[in-house]
Amino acid sequence: MKAFSAQKTWKVLGFALLLIAFDSCRFSQSFDKDLATGLTTRGDGLSCEKVYLSDGENVIKRNTFIYGEIFYVNFDGLEGFERDGQGAFPSMQLVIVSDRGDTVLYVNDMYDQYAWGIDNDPLDLYGEVTVADPIHSGGEYTLYVNVRDKMGTGKFRAVLKFEVLADERITTKGNQVNVEEIYLFSQQRGRTITDGQAEFNENIYMLFEGLDGFSVQEGKVYLGLSLEITDATGNLILDEADLLGEEGMSYEMVQEQLAPNFILSGSQIANPVTCKVRIWDKKGTAWLNASTEINVN
């Protein structure tokens, strides 16, 4: 039988140790892609059981969002953090870049308030994104979510390319008026209404952002705004001829946001309900009509 020398034995063991170290490093790195949304993830020292998009309640399987919508990037089962006692110290950076290369959102750390760490093991973290100014409908964007271990070197990244759409449920017609965004917002729910569903006694706003084209006199515009609501049978529920009166309004405030609102009380109604808003220039000829349908339950 041929014997191995001690020097050769140590070389073999050393090579085996190198292989083990290499495999261990490779195991701590991961890459995954969600084919439905295009969401990609890459881990280096940190791993995650499940990464997905949601609206806070339900999983989202799309990468298009209506202006004003809120969505979340959820990280369930994050592991690999160095711990001080029981606590892990994650950081989460959110960056959104437009297709023109402009950074439209930068949040350095969504978890900087957890100075004493988070005891859960594994961790369930999430990043919240509101699709609103300076993000705009018609644009394409890339979201980067960077999770890091403040106590170690582990990191985990999620990347999502997404598109922002205007609410197709809202139709407009006008003369000489430009508007960047129009959307419905529920005060009670604190979120944009994107599915055309509302509740009785809910305070609903039809928000206009970036209005332009009206006559400006000494920094003011003089506008009229009517609001008409009818049910599916044509029954007139609300008819406000002019909610603004004769006083001038700051042009800058109107351009930032104009927010007529309404509340539908009761318990029964013939759906769908049609909401029509008309804005006109009392010092000129510019006007804008916006209309949408909602189901009230």
Side-chain angles (χ1 to χ4, degrees):
M1 180 180 291
K2 189 172 182 181
F4 286 102
S5 68
Q7 183 179 5
K8 193 167 184 179
T9 301
W10 279 113
K11 284 183 179 179
V12 171
L13 288 173
F15 181 63
L17 288 172
L18 284 173
L19 279 176
I20 293 171
F22 175 76
D23 286 344
S24 179
C25 289
R26 183 172 57 186
F27 181 76
S28 67
Q29 297 185 7
S30 63
F31 176 83
D32 193 20
K33 183 173 183 177
D34 184 336
L35 297 180
T37 63
L39 177 70
T40 62
T41 59
R42 186 181 298 275
D44 185 359
L46 298 180
S47 63
C48 191
E49 181 180 347
K50 186 178 181 182
V51 185
Y52 59 97
L53 305 179
S54 79
D55 61 7
E57 296 179 357
N58 303 305
V59 174
I60 293 174
K61 287 293 186 180
R62 54 184 166 85
N63 62 351
T64 58
F65 300 95
I66 295 174
Y67 182 84
E69 192 172 356
I70 298 173
F71 72 91
Y72 302 86
V73 184
N74 299 267
F75 300 83
D76 290 357
L78 270 167
E79 295 183 296
F81 292 92
E82 300 289 338
R83 291 182 175 263
D84 183 1
Q86 295 296 316
F89 295 81
S91 71
M92 181 182 288
Q93 180 189 76
L94 266 68
V95 181
I96 297 180
V97 180
S98 72
D99 55 358
R100 295 179 297 182
D102 299 322
T103 299
V104 296
L105 175 71
Y106 179 86
V107 180
N108 187 53
D109 186 4
M110 295 196 69
Y111 285 86
D112 61 354
Q113 71 271 33
Y114 292 91
W116 303 104
I118 303 174
D119 290 344
N120 296 351
D121 188 12
L123 297 183
D124 292 340
L125 307 180
Y126 66 87
E128 178 181 327
V129 177
T130 300
V131 184
D133 188 39
I135 298 170
H136 289 290
S137 59
E140 295 181 356
Y141 301 87
T142 303
L143 167 67
Y144 301 91
V145 186
N146 300 309
V147 180
R148 289 186 172 84
D149 183 358
K150 294 179 181 178
M151 301 291 290
T153 60
K155 53 189 177 181
F156 195 92
R157 166 178 268 203
V159 179
L160 174 71
K161 293 183 180 294
F162 66 96
E163 183 181 359
V164 182
L165 307 175
D167 189 346
E168 63 181 10
R169 297 175 182 270
I170 301 175
T171 60
T172 62
K173 186 177 181 180
N175 178 52
Q176 300 176 355
V177 176
N178 296 315
V179 60
E180 290 182 352
E181 309 292 350
I182 309 175
Y183 57 103
L184 296 178
F185 182 83
S186 165
Q187 183 182 40
Q188 280 79 357
R189 286 180 277 170
R191 62 175 59 243
T192 300
I193 299 173
T194 60
D195 58 2
Q197 303 297 315
E199 298 177 1
F200 284 107
N201 303 310
E202 187 171 25
N203 194 8
I204 300 172
Y205 290 83
M206 182 179 283
L207 299 172
F208 297 79
E209 295 180 356
L211 279 167
D212 197 15
F214 302 113
S215 302
V216 182
Q217 298 181 1
E218 297 181 348
K220 292 186 176 182
V221 292
Y222 294 81
L223 305 179
L225 190 152
S226 65
L227 175 61
E228 178 185 291
I229 298 178
T230 56
D231 67 12
T233 66
N235 181 43
L236 187 62
I237 299 172
L238 182 65
D239 187 12
E240 293 289 343
D242 189 357
L243 292 169
L244 299 182
E246 299 303 321
E247 293 293 324
M249 303 174 66
S250 164
Y251 166 73
E252 291 184 355
M253 290 181 63
V254 169
Q255 191 177 49
E256 181 178 350
Q257 190 176 86
L258 195 60
N261 67 298
F262 59 91
I263 298 174
L264 298 176
S265 58
S267 59
Q268 289 185 338
I269 200 167
N271 284 312
V273 172
T274 301
C275 173
K276 296 179 180 179
V277 173
R278 179 177 174 84
I279 304 169
W280 70 94
D281 189 347
K282 294 179 177 178
K283 301 293 184 179
T285 58
W287 57 271
L288 177 70
N289 291 345
S291 177
T292 191
E293 290 185 347
I294 58 175
N295 291 300
V296 185
N297 303 298

